[in-house]
DNA sequence: GAGTGATCATAA
DNA sequence: TTATGATCACTC
């Protein structure tokens, strides 16, 4: 039984990171928050990113808004994912902002999406709304990298969406596009605007967009892990 | 009920 | 302003 204690610095190896992460398994958000000396909100209506930031703190990630991975030196991105009692995702997973201008020459291989999901430390956490945040339990964290098929699926969606953006079709893209990777608004509210390419090649103003992984995609990742875990 | 579009807190 | 962390909540 490994006990969890708050780290005072960044993990220096994948092993060290995984040791810390695995020590969180089985604990509730309330228990972890107490160790971190942080107050648990009664719900996430206002503090939507609270869980992610708590886990960042617990694993020694340096907070802040960087475009790089959470553990850049290890090349690992941290993602908490809310699950129901069957271990299925309750929400889609945000990946990164979508570039809407100056996108000539951007390719999948060097894209932000590819870079972000190259290596992910998934931390599944009970996300059922009927369970108070304080009592939500952390499941087993695990490291994942996309296999050939998953990488191809995401590349195909990414290329389709990026082509539409480059052709000035941003206003015609809805969350229904993309089989596994979708594009949705990502901003503080609907009044936030950024530049994009219009249908005549001109610069237009539109809501910022972000790439999200559909639940069907992350569900397979989780299923595959838990399947291998019990064999 | 599910899913899309909208939204909230915070950092630099 | 744009990025991080995401979940909310209205509409279908």
């Amino acid at each position: 039984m490994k006990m969890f204690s708050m780290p005072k610095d960044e993990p220096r190896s994948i092993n060290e990171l995984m040791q810390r992460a695995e020590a969180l398994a089985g604990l509730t958000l309330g228990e972890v928050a107490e160790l971190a000396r942080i107050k648990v909100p009664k719900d996430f209506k206002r503090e939507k990113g609270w869980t992610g930031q708590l886990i960042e703190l617990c694993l020694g990630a340096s907070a802040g808004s960087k475009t790089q991975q959470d553990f850049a030196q290890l090349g690992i991105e941290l993602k908490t994912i809310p699950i129901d009692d069957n271990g299925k995702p309750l929400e889609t997973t945000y990946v990164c902002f979508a570039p809407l201008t100056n996108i000539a020459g951007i390719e999948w291989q060097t894209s932000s999406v590819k870079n972000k999901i190259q290596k992910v430390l998934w931390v599944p956490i009970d996300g059922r709304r009927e369970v108070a945040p304080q009592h939500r339990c952390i499941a087993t964290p695990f490291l994942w990298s996309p296999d050939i098929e998953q990488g191809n699926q995401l590349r195909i969606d990414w290329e389709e969406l990026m082509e539409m953006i480059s052709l000035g079709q941003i206003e015609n893209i809805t969350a229904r596009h993309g089989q596994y990777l979708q594009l949705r608004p990502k901003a503080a509210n609907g009044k936030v605007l950024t530049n994009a390419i219009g249908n005549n090649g001109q610069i237009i103003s539109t809501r910022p967009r972000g790439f999200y992984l559909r639940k069907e995609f992350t569900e397979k990742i989780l299923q595959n892990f838990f399947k291998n875990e019990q064999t």
Side-chain angles (χ1 to χ4, degrees), chain A residues 172-230:
Chain A
N172 296 125
I173 299 177
T174 72
R176 281 163 277 264
H177 287 83
Q179 188 176 1
Y180 295 109
L181 187 71
Q182 62 178 178
L183 198 69
R184 306 216 306 274
K186 168 68 174 168
N189 58 60
K191 294 170 187 168
V192 177
L193 297 174
T194 191
N195 286 342
I197 304 168
N199 56 14
N200 293 122
Q202 80 281 28
I203 295 295
I204 62 169
S205 232
T206 190
R207 292 160 15 257
R209 308 298 211 281
F211 286 111
Y212 293 80
L213 297 175
R214 288 188 185 278
K215 286 187 283 187
E216 289 75 6
F217 189 81
T218 50
E219 180 180 341
K220 288 179 184 173
I221 295 173
L222 294 172
Q223 272 181 357
N224 198 43
F225 170 73
F226 289 124
K227 181 183 67 188
N228 293 332
E229 188 188 36
Q230 61 184 311

Side-chain angles (χ1 to χ4, degrees), chain A residues 7 51 92 145 149 172 175 181 188 209 231:
Chain A
T51 305
T92 55
S145 288
E149 187 186 356
N172 296 125
L181 187 71
R209 308 298 211 281
T231 47

Side-chain angles (χ1 to χ4, degrees), chain A residues 105-119:
Chain A
I106 299 182
E107 290 174 32
W108 167 249
Q109 288 301 328
T110 54
S111 68
S112 297
V113 174
K114 173 91 187 302
N115 179 56
K116 276 289 180 68
I117 64 159
Q118 192 70 272
K119 213 174 213 175

Side-chain angles (χ1 to χ4, degrees), chain A residues 18 62 74-76 88 113 133 139 142 154 159 166 172 212 230:
Chain A
M18 294 311 292
S62 44
L74 303 177
I76 294 174
K88 293 186 176 183
V113 174
F142 65 97
L154 296 179
E159 287 175 347
S166 67
N172 296 125
Y212 293 80
Q230 61 184 311

Side-chain angles (χ1 to χ4, degrees), chain A residues 7-108:
Chain A
K8 58 181 188 300
D9 48 27
E10 290 184 34
R12 293 177 196 79
S13 66
I14 293 181
N15 210 336
E16 188 175 6
L17 173 60
M18 294 311 292
Q19 292 282 327
R20 293 180 183 180
E22 285 162 10
L24 290 171
L27 299 178
T28 63
L29 293 181
E31 291 169 337
V32 173
E34 189 177 338
L35 292 170
R37 297 179 182 178
I38 290 176
K39 189 174 177 296
V40 186
K42 68 175 192 301
D43 58 48
F44 296 134
K45 281 184 171 65
R46 304 197 73 82
E47 296 174 77
K48 298 181 179 181
W50 184 87
T51 305
Q53 290 170 342
L54 173 67
I55 302 302
E56 278 185 348
L57 197 60
C58 290
L59 298 183
S62 44
S65 52
K66 294 171 294 191
T67 310
Q68 290 183 321
Q69 292 106 330
D70 296 288
F71 302 98
Q73 212 167 339
L74 303 177
I76 294 174
E77 173 73 10
L78 173 67
K79 290 288 180 196
T80 60
I81 184 164
I83 56 173
D84 64 15
D85 47 5
N86 287 316
K88 293 186 176 183
L90 285 165
E91 297 286 349
T92 55
T93 301
Y94 170 70
V95 180
C96 62
F97 269 100
L100 301 181
T101 58
N102 299 114
I103 58 185
I106 299 182
E107 290 174 32
W108 167 249

